[in-house]
Amino acid sequence: MDQSLKSPPLSALDDAFHAMVALSRGAPPPDLAIRRARLQRLRDLLAANEARFVAAISSDFGHRADVETTIAETLFLLTEIKHTIKQLARWMAPRRIATALQFWPARNRLIPQPLGVVGIIAPWNYPLQLTLAPAIGAIAAGNLVMIKPSELTPRFAALLRELIAGTFAPTELVITGIEDGIAQAFAQLPFDHLVFTGSTRVGRIVAEAAAKNLTPVTLELGGKSPVIIDASANLDQAAQRIAYAKLLNAGQTCIAPDYVLVPEPQRDAFAGLVRNHMLAMFGSNPANADYTSIISDRHYARLEGLANDAASKDAKLLQPDTPANPDRRRLRKFPPTVVVGATSEMAIMQEEIFGPLLPVMAYRERSEAINYINAHDRPLALYWFGTDQIARDEVLARTVAGGVTVNDCLLHFAQINQPMGGVGASGTGAYHGQWGFDTFSKLKPVFYRSPLNRMTDLYPPYGAKIARIEKLLRWMS
Ligand code: NAD
């Protein structure tokens, strides 16, 4: 588009991007000290402004339990930065790679290099964690970074923008605006790598825009993450762990357990136990400050629609009161709801729930549960509860998911040395810890030829000498 025809936010976006590209191509890559200093500045900024982030996010949600912001967002990021600063020298060092015999005594090295300019598009549900966690890996790898936060968390986005602008040069790390049109324009910029976290629907649009520039993407998407309760499971303990994971952030968690498959004879007992644990944790008062609000009236209405649709198709809803309760509606505190007897005809089993409703479905044979999962999109997370190791290993071997926690939910995500990412419709690529550093680096293979080796001197005219080398190579192959 002609520059003069662009609105001020779009031309500012373009200018910021091109300044970064120019710097990434024109200056040497940042050394260890510069990268560490950038990460430390980010850490200091987070530590000094934790209370402001907690307040801004809560006000964007209507209400967000403070501890959910500190544990799942600020502390998560502080830990990730500390780990990255500590490990960075090791990650940046050239990696020794074995050299095949015919090239001896030459050397191979894999050299990590910054890709250049990395773009990050973030969702609203953990707005701080999901804007900055990919940025930590990208900065560590020596890149310049642009981030577009979600328009559904405007107070948070304004705060982050102000703080980052006061701490980083605009060519190091920049937070864009969230005005109309920015998201689409951002996805069209020819980044050296683009990270998108959000819905599978928008992920497709972003991947298409990136493909036009041959920009590689990391897509952190959503979907329906199943839980399998094995007949060998401790039902009460499983119910408690699942209830907590479902209600954290009021179910607005990408790796929340979406639905549960339970052996038929245990279905009703399990559903009752989950309901009891939900009540014990969050009570029935909508004003409970531990319980987080749904992000918008539109999302609240969508969840209400899912509950009504399930009830109209004969599911039994276990809930403390109804979503139509005016206090709940005003505060957007959707009642924790167990949906007993969910079936695949119900809308709740056809889309990602992303709210505090837990469908419980019965299965008869283990293979029935596995086949159900495999008949749907590859999930972002899968959870299995039980003590029967043969059953567990069969589920692990026969299902493909972004990540798995055995005998709990969510915790694989907190493993700093494990990659986080989906598979198929739940995502592409992964980051966190060294996995993030590697994702945002070009791992460049370099071969250092040895003057002592003449086996690669294959110059014509071909004759007896080359025939001898060929014979030797044939013997080695
Ligand atoms: P969303 O897809 O609606 O929006 C995500 C981001 O994309 C926002 O910043 C939005 O402005 C931007 N966007 C919207 N349209 C765009 C376009 N045409 N081009 C470029 N960008 C565009 O998702 P959401 O509602 O913010 O988040 C919820 C979804 O995110 C859920 O599906 C959840 O499972 C998923 N999620 C996944 C992870 C993960 O790590 N895999 C983490 C959190 C959330």
Side-chain angles (χ1 to χ4, degrees):
M1 195 199 279
D2 178 350
Q3 201 66 20
S4 60
L5 299 178
K6 284 194 173 170
S7 64
L10 293 191
S11 58
L13 180 73
D14 246 21
D15 292 348
F17 175 73
H18 286 110
M20 280 190 176
V21 172
L23 187 64
S24 74
R25 272 50 176 179
D31 62 15
L32 176 64
I34 293 176
R35 298 185 201 190
R36 277 193 173 144
R38 286 177 182 165
L39 291 166
Q40 190 58 49
R41 261 184 284 156
L42 196 58
R43 197 176 142 84
D44 295 344
L45 178 156
L46 278 170
N49 294 284
E50 189 174 29
R52 292 179 76 191
F53 281 120
V54 167
I57 293 172
S58 185
S59 113
D60 281 335
F61 270 73
H63 174 75
R64 154 74 91 76
D66 291 0
V67 74
E68 292 186 350
T69 302
T70 51
I71 290 188
E73 307 223 47
T74 49
L75 291 178
F76 180 94
L77 291 167
L78 290 170
T79 310
E80 179 93 15
I81 297 176
K82 190 173 172 187
H83 173 74
T84 302
I85 289 176
K86 201 164 155 207
Q87 301 297 330
L88 191 53
R90 191 168 62 79
W91 297 346
M92 283 174 68
R95 302 174 196 182
R96 299 169 75 94
I97 302 290
T99 305
L101 190 61
Q102 57 268 42
F103 301 101
W104 277 12
R107 275 183 304 140
N108 269 308
R109 293 290 181 271
L110 198 58
I111 300 184
Q113 276 190 303
L115 292 171
V117 184
V118 172
I120 296 170
I121 301 178
W124 53 265
N125 63 327
Y126 289 93
L128 181 59
Q129 190 211 116
L130 296 168
T131 46
L132 293 187
I136 294 167
I139 291 169
N143 298 286
L144 309 173
V145 182
M146 283 181 91
I147 303 178
K148 199 218 65 78
S150 166
E151 59 285 0
L152 287 177
T153 46
R155 294 174 191 88
F156 157 76
L159 175 63
L160 185 68
R161 195 170 185 200
E162 172 206 320
L163 294 173
I164 294 287
T167 313
F168 287 88
T171 43
E172 276 179 324
L173 174 62
V174 86
I175 311 294
T176 72
I178 52 172
E179 296 90 341
D180 282 353
I182 294 262
Q184 291 78 356
F186 191 93
Q188 284 164 22
L189 293 172
F191 286 107
D192 294 299
H193 193 102
L194 181 58
V195 184
F196 169 81
T197 308
S199 61
T200 300
R201 184 186 69 79
V202 177
R204 276 184 223 280
I205 299 172
V206 169
E208 218 175 302
K212 295 213 169 86
N213 300 314
L214 295 181
T215 291
V217 286
T218 300
L219 301 174
E220 299 282 342
L221 309 177
K224 294 183 83 63
S225 296
V227 184
I228 298 183
I229 305 285
D230 188 68
S232 64
N234 175 333
L235 220 52
D236 186 53
Q237 190 182 66
Q240 183 182 36
R241 293 174 182 181
I242 293 165
Y244 170 70
K246 186 66 178 188
L247 298 188
L248 177 73
N249 207 27
Q252 303 164 108
T253 302
C254 58
I255 50 169
D258 188 277
Y259 64 95
V260 190
L261 298 164
V262 189
E264 198 165 37
Q266 291 159 304
R267 187 195 71 176
D268 291 352
F270 173 78
L273 288 168
V274 176
R275 190 255 325 266
N276 294 347
H277 280 296
M278 285 179 162
L279 262 176
M281 285 180 211
F282 292 99
S284 57
N285 178 0
N288 183 344
D290 286 345
Y291 194 50
T292 292
S293 299
I294 300 302
I295 188 76
S296 74
D297 291 337
R298 182 171 63 83
H299 288 74
Y300 193 95
R302 182 182 66 80
L303 296 172
E304 205 171 342
L306 293 181
N308 291 341
D309 173 73
S312 76
K313 292 175 180 152
D314 294 335
K316 191 166 139 205
L317 306 189
L318 307 181
Q319 48 188 188
D321 56 2
T322 126
N325 171 342
D327 283 344
R328 288 203 176 270
R329 235 189 240 293
R330 183 173 49 80
L331 300 168
R332 290 200 302 274
K333 297 281 191 92
F334 199 92
T337 303
V338 183
V339 181
V340 192
T343 63
S344 41
E345 289 70 44
M346 298 172 185
I348 201 166
M349 291 308 298
Q350 292 164 5
E351 61 183 81
E352 180 181 7
I353 299 170
F354 223 56
L357 297 106
L358 186 72
V360 177
M361 290 170 81
Y363 70 86
R364 282 177 294 274
E365 305 282 329
R366 191 180 312 137
S367 60
E368 193 184 330
I370 293 172
N371 292 342
Y372 183 86
I373 292 167
N374 286 343
H376 294 83
D377 284 340
R378 305 284 198 209
L380 182 60
L382 184 144
Y383 303 113
W384 185 89
F385 285 82
T387 52
D388 178 342
Q389 298 189 7
I390 291 174
R392 178 198 66 195
D393 291 348
E394 187 185 346
V395 170
L396 287 177
R398 292 191 49 204
T399 57
V400 179
V404 175
T405 295
V406 172
N407 281 321
D408 210 328
C409 297
L410 314 179
L411 296 178
H412 64 282
F413 183 83
Q415 304 311 307
I416 204 152
N417 296 312
Q418 289 267 46
M420 165 65 196
V423 52
S426 61
T428 297
Y431 69 98
H432 281 189
Q434 186 173 356
W435 301 91
F437 178 89
D438 287 359
T439 290
F440 303 121
S441 295
K442 165 63 190 166
L443 298 178
K444 186 164 75 180
V446 179
F447 175 72
Y448 298 86
R449 202 202 140 133
S450 160
L452 302 177
N453 183 311
R454 308 311 296 265
M455 273 200 26
T456 47
D457 291 353
L458 298 168
Y459 321 116
Y462 302 130
K465 184 185 129 207
I466 303 298
R468 273 198 309 281
I469 294 178
E470 189 188 353
K471 203 168 159 192
L472 197 58
L473 288 173
R474 197 174 294 284
W475 175 76
M476 290 168 127
S477 66

